[in-house]
Amino acid sequence: MTSVRARRQRPNPVHDDGEDARILQSLGYTQQLHRRMGAFGNFSASLSVISIMSGTLLLFGYGLNSGGPAVIMWGWLAVGPLVLCLAAALAEITSRYPTSGGLYYMARQLGGERWSWYTGWLNLLGLLGGIAAQDYGIATFTAAWMNLQFDYTPTPGSLLALYAVILALHAALNLFGTRLMNILTSVSAWWHLAGAVVIIGSLALVPSEHQSAGFVFSEFTNNTGWSAPVYVVLLGMLLPVFALAGYDTSAHLSEETNHASVAAARGIFRSVTVSWIAGGILLATLLFAIQDYAATLNSPTDVPVAQILLDALGMAAAKALLLVIIVAQFLCGYTVTASASRMIYAFARDGALPGSAHWKKVSRRTAIPANAVWLAVAVAFVLALPSLYSSTAFAAVTAISVVGFTSAYAIPVLLRLLHRDRFSPGPWHLGRWSRPIGWVAVVWAGAVTVLFLLPQSSPITATTFNYTPVAVVVAFLIAALWRRFGRSAYHVPHSSSPTEDKQFEGII
């Protein structure tokens, strides 16, 4: 990406809120949400959803068992540039269509109503799966802290109850309005970066012994039950793909962002770039700091990260740093909930959901779609119910999120490639690199979508079954059924071209 040159035909004017509203009107919508978020807040929102102390750490144990340190490190290095291609291609389209609907609106303009309908449902599945994965992960880390502090041993039922409390807290905080969101997302960005620096510095300087580079980059562990190493390596890719997902948050918050046609696009690309670099350093530091590999894999806390901190830094430091991680994850979950609620609001605004009139309501006092917030957390709770009996439920929920996100990201990019005449670039675009980057992104997204529908553990039993395909099929059945009976209510406005759209060539 560093070879992409930035060129401008004329200076980028400073838009005010009225200009943003005019652009939104040209896309077919009237401004209803409050634009109180700046460029840094928008970037921070995606950075918080990606969350280097969330996705990377939540699936760290999964990665250790599905390939071990070698797959974690090489997978992270290999997947990052591919995710950046998809993020850049999506950012380019976001610059032209900065709406809360995000992906499904893009698909409508570039491919038509059918593409739009199913893109929206896939995006919604990814967002709801993201809430479930994120908040259930917070519950496991909180339980690990309670294990160290109170010798608490969680059960599936108690974890689900803790998960429900976290969901409720995120919903409640989301009802306070965009001003609080702008503050919390900015705090979240600094908390993530500062927290990562503290954890990395502690693990690098305090332990008297570290693992060798040979261990970190070549140790292979297979506890999946599958005998084919290549398949195990591919399964291990779930960690980096899930950890670097969620950057469409910048698009979903674009109607609350000033200068959205540039700020939202930059927020997408820059959040992935920063997260890939910082996340790689964090993962490497954790792997080098492992003191007892067997103990880490079989930690009584059920959270390998907690065991690494305990072995390397001692009880007091481990508990303190776990709290730093939990706060970062909580802020991430708050932002994921905000993003999902905006998607529900936008989709309902266009008549795509059963009961759309209810879900599209916006509070007059806070300009927040409160009903959409509660729907998001309610569905997320249902997605996690299999955790009561399934030992692989968490990995399945993350896979649901990845499949929904990645396929929904790729569809507008594919349509933009197939229908060049339907797309005029916005202020931020890739120039001559647009098509090659786009094709790499689409091929990558297709491979990832197929991969994570496959079984993750062997033998396949009721407790190890990957129910991702079931969730995807159910979502498609609901979408198809509602399309048959509710299609007449679905209407995504046609956009007109603002005169400014062709005045710029974008910058990364």
Side-chain angles (χ1 to χ4, degrees):
M1 301 302 300
T2 55
S3 59
V4 177
R5 291 190 299 116
R7 295 181 290 120
R8 299 184 184 183
Q9 293 179 337
R10 53 184 291 184
N12 191 353
V14 178
H15 297 163
D16 57 19
D17 288 0
E19 179 68 8
D20 282 312
R22 189 193 69 78
I23 292 174
L24 184 62
Q25 186 175 27
S26 76
L27 300 178
Y29 297 110
T30 301
Q31 184 74 46
Q32 287 184 292
L33 307 179
H34 292 165
R35 288 190 186 268
R36 291 173 175 167
M37 186 171 289
F40 183 76
N42 185 281
F43 156 77
S44 299
S46 279
L47 190 71
S48 297
V49 170
I50 296 174
S51 181
I52 58 174
M53 285 198 289
S54 191
T56 54
L57 304 188
L58 293 179
L59 282 179
F60 188 78
Y62 172 90
L64 288 179
N65 286 290
S66 303
V71 173
I72 289 176
M73 286 312 303
W74 290 113
W76 187 268
L77 294 173
V79 166
L82 296 169
V83 175
L84 274 171
C85 286
L86 185 54
L90 189 63
E92 180 179 52
I93 304 174
T94 298
S95 180
R96 175 62 181 85
Y97 304 118
T99 72
S100 294
L103 309 177
Y104 82 84
Y105 181 90
M106 302 171 193
R108 174 63 181 90
Q109 306 309 316
L110 299 172
E113 185 236 294
R114 186 187 298 269
W115 283 105
S116 172
W117 183 274
Y118 288 105
T119 300
W121 279 89
L122 283 169
N123 190 203
L124 189 57
L125 179 66
L127 286 162
L128 296 174
I131 296 175
Q134 180 60 46
D135 283 14
Y136 195 84
I138 297 170
T140 62
F141 268 69
T142 303
W145 181 86
M146 293 169 67
N147 177 269
L148 297 181
Q149 181 68 30
F150 306 114
D151 198 26
Y152 162 78
T153 301
T155 64
S158 64
L159 272 178
L160 190 68
L162 182 57
Y163 167 66
V165 171
I166 294 167
L167 284 173
L169 288 173
H170 281 149
L173 284 173
N174 263 278
L175 301 180
F176 282 96
T178 307
R179 182 173 283 113
L180 177 63
M181 184 189 306
N182 197 30
I183 294 171
L184 288 181
T185 54
S186 297
V187 168
S188 178
W190 290 112
W191 186 278
H192 275 81
L193 295 175
V197 168
V198 171
I199 294 171
I200 290 168
S202 299
L203 292 177
L205 300 175
V206 174
S208 58
E209 295 183 4
H210 290 86
Q211 295 288 345
S212 66
F215 170 83
V216 172
F217 289 97
S218 64
E219 179 68 26
F220 180 81
T221 304
N222 177 15
N223 292 324
T224 66
W226 298 107
S227 58
V230 173
Y231 186 60
V232 175
V233 169
L234 292 175
L235 289 178
M237 296 301 103
L238 180 60
L239 188 160
V241 176
F242 172 71
L244 294 174
Y247 43 85
D248 61 316
T249 298
S250 288
H252 292 303
L253 296 177
S254 59
E255 290 184 33
E256 295 159 84
T257 302
N258 290 306
H259 323 302
S261 58
V262 174
R266 285 177 175 169
I268 289 173
F269 186 81
R270 291 176 177 176
S271 62
V272 176
T273 304
V274 172
S275 297
W276 180 48
I277 294 171
I281 296 171
L282 178 60
L283 286 172
T285 304
L286 283 166
L287 293 171
F288 275 110
I290 291 175
Q291 303 297 300
D292 186 333
Y293 192 41
T296 300
L297 288 172
N298 301 288
S299 174
T301 66
D302 288 328
V303 175
V305 172
Q307 193 64 44
I308 293 173
L309 296 175
L310 181 62
D311 293 342
L313 304 175
M315 180 66 76
K319 290 190 291 186
L321 291 181
L322 268 179
L323 286 177
V324 170
I325 293 170
I326 290 167
V327 170
Q329 293 173 344
F330 187 85
L331 291 170
C332 170
Y334 163 81
T335 314
V336 177
T337 303
S339 181
S341 67
R342 299 318 188 271
M343 168 61 196
I344 291 171
Y345 154 76
F347 215 26
R349 178 177 60 182
D350 292 329
L353 297 176
S356 286
H358 185 67
W359 310 123
K360 72 179 182 180
K361 287 183 179 179
V362 175
S363 167
R364 292 183 179 180
R365 184 174 61 86
T366 62
I368 292 295
N371 294 338
V373 171
W374 288 112
L375 178 63
V377 298
V379 176
F381 180 78
V382 172
L383 285 176
L385 286 177
S387 66
L388 289 172
Y389 64 84
S390 173
S391 61
T392 59
F394 180 70
V397 169
T398 59
I400 290 170
S401 180
V402 166
V403 169
F405 272 137
T406 307
S407 55
Y409 292 168
I411 290 173
V413 177
L414 175 63
L415 294 173
R416 183 254 185 277
L417 293 169
L418 296 178
H419 304 294
R420 300 176 64 179
D421 58 319
R422 300 181 186 178
F423 182 77
S424 58
W428 193 103
H429 69 85
L430 301 172
R432 68 178 184 273
W433 290 96
S434 179
R435 291 185 66 77
I437 288 174
W439 281 116
V440 169
V442 168
V443 172
W444 156 250
V448 165
T449 299
V450 172
L451 174 62
F452 296 123
L453 293 174
L454 301 177
Q456 297 170 339
S457 299
S458 178
I460 301 173
T461 65
T463 59
T464 64
F465 177 68
N466 177 14
Y467 63 91
T468 302
V470 176
V472 173
V473 169
V474 168
F476 265 99
L477 286 175
I478 295 173
L481 184 65
W482 184 242
R483 188 171 187 272
R484 180 177 179 85
F485 295 103
R487 177 178 176 180
S488 60
Y490 186 55
H491 175 69
V492 180
H494 286 283
S495 68
S496 58
S497 297
T499 56
E500 285 83 357
D501 276 352
K502 297 182 181 180
Q503 293 178 351
F504 310 101
E505 293 201 358
I507 65 172
I508 290 180

